[in-house]
Amino acid sequence: GGAGPLLAGRVLQELGVASVLIPPHPGLFSAEGLMVTSLRIDDGQTNLRRLDESAVPDLLAWYREARNRLVAQLRDDGIPHSRIRVVPTADCRYEGQGYELELPLASISSTGVRGLRRAFGERHAAMYGHADPREAVEIVTARMSAFGDLERHGPERLARGTRTVPEDARV
């Protein structure tokens, strides 16, 4: 943090280390990180229903509504539409199972929702070494994350340091 440079010399001396890298404005390091990360909004809805053809219209309606609502919220926060991206996912499991796998939707469309069944089988086989295409799959939670990318600023260019202590740094 901000006190690191104050203590660095003595700590280096004690450890027998010859040099240290101190970022510019170390007391603001975390705040600067917050200024360049994306805004994120999450939403989810518990469904707990069999993932079959009858579930497609309801799930698709929820994903579309959630997308529109989250994008509108980011637009209200001043994020241009071109810097907004959404990530729809679903927590699915075999019926009666006690744990879920989070799966991305290929698209917010009927095809994307229908693809969850196949994606679940593939992910289950990859994770656990088996999958049963005849076993019923249920969706537990539909999720949507929206990201608003903030404008990025490049890092401050610094002159290479020397081993000579600047006069204004001497106490």
Side-chain angles (χ1 to χ4, degrees):
L6 296 173
L7 309 171
R10 293 286 186 195
V11 172
L12 292 175
Q13 192 174 34
E14 187 71 27
L15 296 173
V17 176
S19 64
V20 65
L21 176 64
I22 299 173
H25 319 295
L28 301 176
F29 203 61
S30 294
E32 287 177 343
L34 288 173
M35 295 301 294
V36 298
T37 191
S38 297
L39 298 180
R40 178 177 177 162
I41 306 170
D42 295 302
D43 194 5
Q45 178 176 314
T46 301
N47 284 280
L48 201 55
R49 65 186 289 181
R50 193 173 274 199
L51 190 56
D52 57 18
E53 193 59 35
S54 69
V56 173
D58 293 340
L59 289 171
L60 182 56
W62 184 85
Y63 280 113
R64 286 179 173 162
E65 188 272 328
R67 176 193 56 205
N68 293 342
R69 187 178 61 255
L70 298 182
V71 166
Q73 186 173 342
L74 288 172
R75 295 285 291 131
D76 286 346
D77 288 338
I79 304 297
H81 200 278
S82 62
R83 290 191 181 157
I84 295 174
R85 59 191 164 86
V86 295
V87 178
T89 60
D91 297 348
C92 297
R93 66 185 182 188
Y94 283 124
E95 201 167 53
Q97 221 172 15
Y99 55 91
E100 298 84 38
L101 296 175
E102 184 179 11
L103 306 165
L105 266 73
S107 64
I108 301 174
S109 65
S110 297
T111 303
V113 174
R114 286 185 185 105
L116 285 172
R117 176 73 173 88
R118 180 187 44 76
F120 175 80
E122 291 171 359
R123 175 73 58 85
H124 198 279
M127 295 278 297
Y128 303 108
H130 64 91
D132 186 349
R134 299 171 311 234
E135 188 71 32
V137 173
E138 60 186 6
I139 181 167
V140 177
T141 307
R143 298 185 188 278
M144 178 72 69
S145 296
F147 299 86
D149 294 329
L150 299 174
E151 187 175 338
R152 306 278 191 242
H153 299 282
E156 182 180 338
R157 300 296 278 166
L158 300 174
R160 183 169 179 88
T162 66
R163 292 187 180 272
T164 306
V165 179
E167 192 59 41
D168 62 347
R170 294 180 196 271
V171 178

